[in-house]
Amino acid sequence: MSILISIFWFAVAVVGAMALGWLFRAFVVAVSPQRQAQEMRTAPLTASFGLLVILIYVLVAALAPIIAPFGESEVVGGEFLPWDSTYLLGTDNLGRDMLTRMIYGARNTVGIAFTITALAFFVGTVLGLLAAVVGGWLDQVLSRSVDVLMAIPSLIFSLLLLTIFGTSVLSLVLVIATVDATRVFRLARSVAQGIVVMDYIEAARLRGEGKWWLITREILPNAMAPLVAEFGLRFCFVFLAISGLSFLGLGIQPPTADWGGMVRDNATLITFGDLTPFLPAGAIALLTVAVNFVVDWQLHKSSGLKE
Amino acid sequence: MAHVWRMIAQRLALGFLTLFVVSLLIFGATELLPGDFAEAILGQSATPETIAAIRRDLGLDLPFHTRYIGWLSNVLQGDFGKSLANQQPVIELISKRLGNTLFLALYAAAMAVPLALILGILAALFRNTVFDRMSNALALTSISFPEFFVAYILILWFAQTGYFPSIVRFSPGIGFGESLYRSFLPALTLTLVVTAHMMRMTRAALINLLASPYIEMARLKGMSPMRVILRHALPNALAPIINVVALNLAYLITGVVVVEVVFVYPGLGQLMVDSVSRRDIPVVQAVALIFASAYVLLNLTADVLSTLSNPRLMHRR
C-alpha cells in the first residue's frame, strides 16, 4: 500500500511542479523586457520549473542568516523532537533545529559545490584551450597525464587523495576540483580543436595576435555554448559527489551544516518511519533535477534540434 | 582474423600499461603525504629516533624506484602489507570482502543490464509516446538522485514493511538463495542507479540509426517495427551499447561504496571508507588498486567487445 500512496504523492508533486513552472514562466514573461520574454515563452515547463528552483536555492543560500530561526550549530532542544510550531521540522540527533540546518546546508553544500565547479572549470578550460592552441609537446604531456588520472574511477581517486591530505573543506575543494578539472579539460580541448582549424583563427594568427588573445577573444566565445551546458552537468556531478562524500563522513565536517551529513546523522529515524531525513536528501535531488532540466533545455536550444 | 588478434593484443598491452601507470600513481600518491609515512604512523608520539627506526623498518630510506619495485612485486604475490590500524595483513581484511563486493556487483549487473536493454528498446520502439516520455523523465530523475536517497527510499518501502532486511549480514553457511534474498535491497539500489543511463543511451543509439536509409528501406518493405529494430537497427547499435554498459558496470564500482555503507554490507567499499577516515594508507592503496584494476579491465573488455561486434573490422579484406 505504501508504494501506491508514494506513487500518488509523486504524481501530485509532478503536477504541482509543472503548475509552478507555468506560473513562474508567465511571471517572467510579464516582467522581463522584450527579448528575454521571447526566449522564456518558448521554454518548456520543466526548464522554467528548474529556473524557479535554482532561484529559490540561491535566495535561501544568500539570506541564510536572516531567514534561519536559530544559529547554525546551536543546540536548541531535545534530540529528535517531532515537528511542531517552534521547531518546524523538528530537531536532529544533537538537538539542533532541522530547518535552520537545512537553510545553512543550502549555503554550505551549494556554495562549496559551486566553488569547486568554478575552480575545476577555470583550470580545466584554461589548460584545455592552451593544449589545443599550443599543441605539440604541451598537448601530449597534458593529455597523457589526464588520461592516466581518468583511468581511476573518480570517487576512488578522491578517497585516495583524501586519505593522504586528510578531510577538511580545503582539501575537499582541491581534491574534487582536481578530479573534475580532468573531465573539463577533455571537453574544452576537443571543442577548441574543432575551432583552432577555422580560417578566422588562422587570420588572427597571421595578424600577429598572441596566444592569450586567441584564447580569450577568438576561441572562448565560440566554445561557450557547450562549456556552459557542461558547467551545469559538472555542477550536478560535483554536488552529488560532495554530498556522497559528506554522507560517508569524509566530506564537509561537522558542525558545519551539510545535507549529505544530515542524512547520515538522522538516518536512524527512517527505521521508525519518520520522513525527516528525506528532506536534506530530497533537497539534493531537487536541485540536481532542476539543474538538469535547465541544461537539457539549453542543450536542446543550442543544438537546434526540433525533432 | 590475424589482424583482429593483433588488435586485441595491442589493446591488452595498452591496458596493462595503464594498469602499471595506475599502480605507480597509487603508490606515488603517498609521496604527497605532508611529512611522510613514518610520521603518519606515529602521529603525536613521533620522536626523531622512533621515526628513523620506522623508516628503516619500512625501507623508507631507500630511493623511490626501489621501494616501488619492492611494493609491486609484493602486491603481485598477494602481499599488500599490514594495516596501520590493527597490524593485520591487508590481504586477510580484503579477501573475504572482495568476494562479497563482487557478488553484489554481479547481482546488480544481472538485473540492470537486461532491464536497461529491454526498456531502451521499448522506448525506441514507442518513441514520443507517453511511455517514452515517462521512462525518459523517470530516468532523468533517477540519475539526479544521490545513491543514498534511492537506498533510503527502498528501505522505507521494503524494509519498513518487513519484506526485506535493511541491514545485510552474511552468517557462515547460508545458501545461495538466502544470500540473494538478504542482499536484494542493495542490489536493487545499484540497479536503479545504473539502469537509467544505460536505457537512455540504448534508446539514443537506436534512434540515431532509425534515420538511415536502410532502415527506411526495411520499413518500406513492410516489416513490423519490432523486427526493424531487433534485426536491423540493434546489431549496428551494439558497439555504443556495449560501451555504455561497460561504463555503467564500471560505475557500479563507485556506486558500491555508498550503497555498502547504507546497508552495512560487509564489502570492500565499507572497508575503504573506514580506512579513509582512519587514514589507513596500505588498506586504501590496496582497495583503490583493486577498484582501479576492475575499472581498467572493464573498459578494456568493452573496447575489445565493441570491436568484435563490428563486422567491417572482423572481415576486412
Side-chain angles (χ1 to χ4, degrees):
Chain A
M1 259 333 267
S2 73
I3 297 180
L4 284 181
I5 295 171
S6 312
I7 292 175
F8 170 73
W9 282 115
F10 184 72
V12 169
V14 170
V15 172
M18 290 307 105
L20 275 178
W22 188 82
L23 283 176
F24 180 67
R25 189 173 71 184
F27 173 72
V28 173
V29 168
V31 297
S32 55
Q34 191 69 35
R35 268 192 61 208
Q36 274 90 340
Q38 200 66 41
E39 212 153 85
M40 269 310 283
R41 203 167 291 141
T42 58
L45 286 180
T46 48
S48 52
F49 172 68
L51 282 176
L52 173 66
V53 171
I54 295 172
L55 190 71
I56 293 175
Y57 274 66
V58 170
L59 282 180
V60 169
L63 304 176
I66 302 173
I67 43 180
F70 299 98
E72 182 178 351
S73 44
E74 189 185 336
V75 176
V76 292
E79 294 152 20
F80 293 133
L81 290 181
W83 299 12
D84 62 21
S85 52
T86 347
Y87 313 117
L88 287 178
L89 298 178
T91 55
D92 70 357
N93 59 328
L94 297 179
R96 295 168 296 193
D97 182 48
M98 201 70 185
L99 179 65
T100 310
R101 305 278 293 168
M102 286 287 292
I103 292 171
Y104 275 99
R107 170 175 265 201
N108 300 330
T109 318
V110 178
I112 289 177
F114 188 79
T115 316
I116 294 176
T117 320
L119 189 62
F121 248 77
F122 180 72
V123 176
T125 316
V126 167
L127 289 181
L129 297 187
L130 211 59
V133 172
V134 177
W137 63 268
L138 182 72
D139 187 20
Q140 284 298 324
V141 170
L142 286 174
S143 300
R144 292 296 82 77
S145 8
V146 164
D147 281 350
V148 170
L149 292 184
M150 284 182 70
I152 304 179
S154 57
L155 178 66
I156 305 301
F157 193 49
S158 328
L159 286 180
L160 179 71
L161 289 182
L162 284 176
T163 322
I164 290 163
F165 294 115
T167 43
S168 69
V169 171
L170 182 68
S171 61
L172 182 74
V173 169
L174 292 180
V175 164
I176 308 277
T178 315
V179 172
D180 268 77
T182 58
R183 273 73 177 169
V184 179
F185 170 86
R186 272 276 178 94
L187 180 82
R189 176 175 169 274
S190 72
V191 169
Q193 273 188 328
I195 300 176
V196 162
V197 292
M198 295 283 181
D199 287 340
Y200 59 83
I201 301 288
E202 190 69 10
R205 275 191 213 258
L206 288 177
R207 244 182 7 245
E209 308 287 7
K211 291 198 170 53
W212 188 242
W213 172 283
L214 278 181
I215 289 177
T216 51
R217 295 299 183 82
E218 310 283 344
I219 298 178
L220 203 53
N222 289 296
M224 227 34 201
L227 285 179
V228 167
E230 175 73 6
F231 188 89
L233 286 181
R234 266 301 125 210
F235 174 80
C236 288
F237 285 126
V238 168
F239 188 55
L240 287 177
I242 61 166
S243 356
L245 283 176
S246 303
F247 173 76
L248 297 176
L250 306 170
I252 303 167
Q253 296 296 314
T256 313
D258 148 81
W259 290 335
M262 286 168 72
V263 176
R264 186 177 60 132
D265 293 341
N266 302 300
T268 37
L269 283 181
I270 293 175
T271 32
F272 301 110
D274 188 332
L275 297 183
T276 316
F278 282 102
L279 290 172
I284 297 168
L286 184 63
L287 182 61
T288 341
V289 172
V291 173
N292 262 323
F293 280 156
V294 177
V295 169
D296 242 27
W297 171 47
Q298 289 296 327
L299 274 179
H300 196 75
K301 229 174 52 179
S302 68
S303 72
L305 272 179
K306 290 291 172 280
E307 204 175 347
Chain B
M1 280 308 280
H3 64 272
V4 174
W5 291 120
R6 201 165 63 229
M7 191 150 68
I8 292 177
Q10 262 172 12
R11 292 283 151 83
L12 277 177
L14 206 65
F16 280 111
L17 184 69
T18 320
L19 269 183
F20 170 71
V21 178
V22 164
S23 75
L24 199 63
L25 198 68
I26 288 176
F27 182 76
T30 48
E31 297 289 304
L32 296 170
L33 204 67
D36 74 0
F37 210 51
E39 286 173 40
I41 295 174
L42 289 168
Q44 297 292 327
S45 60
T47 61
E49 296 83 55
T50 46
I51 288 182
I54 289 209
R55 273 201 190 131
R56 220 174 311 112
D57 215 28
L58 294 172
L60 285 177
D61 43 358
L62 298 171
F64 178 74
H65 57 93
T66 328
R67 273 182 294 140
Y68 172 68
I69 292 169
W71 178 74
L72 191 65
S73 65
N74 280 344
V75 164
L76 289 178
Q77 292 163 31
D79 175 14
F80 287 95
K82 275 184 189 154
S83 155
L84 295 187
N86 49 15
Q87 298 303 317
Q88 267 184 322
V90 176
I91 190 75
E92 268 176 33
L93 291 172
I94 288 177
S95 50
K96 231 171 77 199
R97 286 165 173 264
L98 177 62
N100 287 344
T101 294
L102 275 180
F103 173 73
L104 182 60
L106 284 178
Y107 190 5
M111 290 202 283
V113 174
L115 186 69
L117 289 186
I118 291 172
L119 283 180
I121 291 172
L122 286 180
L125 196 58
F126 302 111
R127 62 194 166 283
N128 298 334
T129 61
V130 178
F131 170 76
D132 183 27
R133 275 166 210 282
M134 280 287 289
S135 56
N136 225 346
L138 275 180
L140 200 64
T141 340
S142 81
I143 291 175
S144 322
F145 281 10
E147 289 103 345
F148 53 85
F149 190 36
V150 179
Y152 281 125
I153 290 180
L154 290 180
I155 288 187
L156 186 73
W157 282 353
F158 293 116
Q160 259 267 289
T161 42
Y163 295 128
F164 292 97
S166 66
I167 289 181
V168 184
R169 273 209 196 86
F170 289 127
S171 28
I174 56 170
F176 184 66
E178 181 67 17
S179 347
L180 282 185
Y181 168 72
R182 287 196 189 176
S183 46
F184 178 70
L185 284 186
L188 187 62
T189 311
L190 283 173
T191 307
L192 289 181
V193 171
V194 294
T195 301
H197 191 215
M198 280 197 273
M199 184 215 114
R200 267 168 77 100
M201 291 303 286
T202 309
R203 176 184 177 277
L206 284 173
I207 286 190
N208 234 350
L209 280 172
L210 290 184
S212 40
Y214 79 99
I215 296 286
E216 183 93 45
M217 183 65 209
R219 260 196 225 128
L220 288 176
K221 282 197 298 191
M223 257 176 214
S224 71
M226 193 62 168
R227 193 176 154 82
V228 169
I229 286 200
L230 288 185
R231 295 277 303 174
H232 294 254
L234 195 58
N236 278 311
L238 270 184
I241 291 178
I242 289 175
N243 261 322
V244 80
V245 167
L247 199 73
N248 277 285
L249 293 187
Y251 182 78
L252 275 181
I253 295 170
T254 48
V256 117
V257 176
V258 174
V259 172
E260 280 181 5
V261 171
V262 174
F263 290 97
V264 204
Y265 187 92
L268 279 185
Q270 250 223 320
L271 178 69
M272 181 160 192
V273 170
D274 290 346
S275 310
V276 171
S277 45
R278 272 191 243 127
R279 302 187 69 175
D280 194 342
I281 294 166
V283 180
V284 175
Q285 272 180 333
V287 180
L289 193 64
I290 290 173
F291 279 142
S293 323
Y295 188 74
V296 170
L297 287 178
L298 269 172
N299 281 330
L300 189 70
T301 322
D303 223 20
V304 172
L305 278 183
S306 59
T307 320
L308 291 182
S309 73
N310 187 344
R312 282 198 199 96
L313 286 173
M314 284 294 283
H315 305 284
R316 194 161 45 187
R317 261 166 287 154

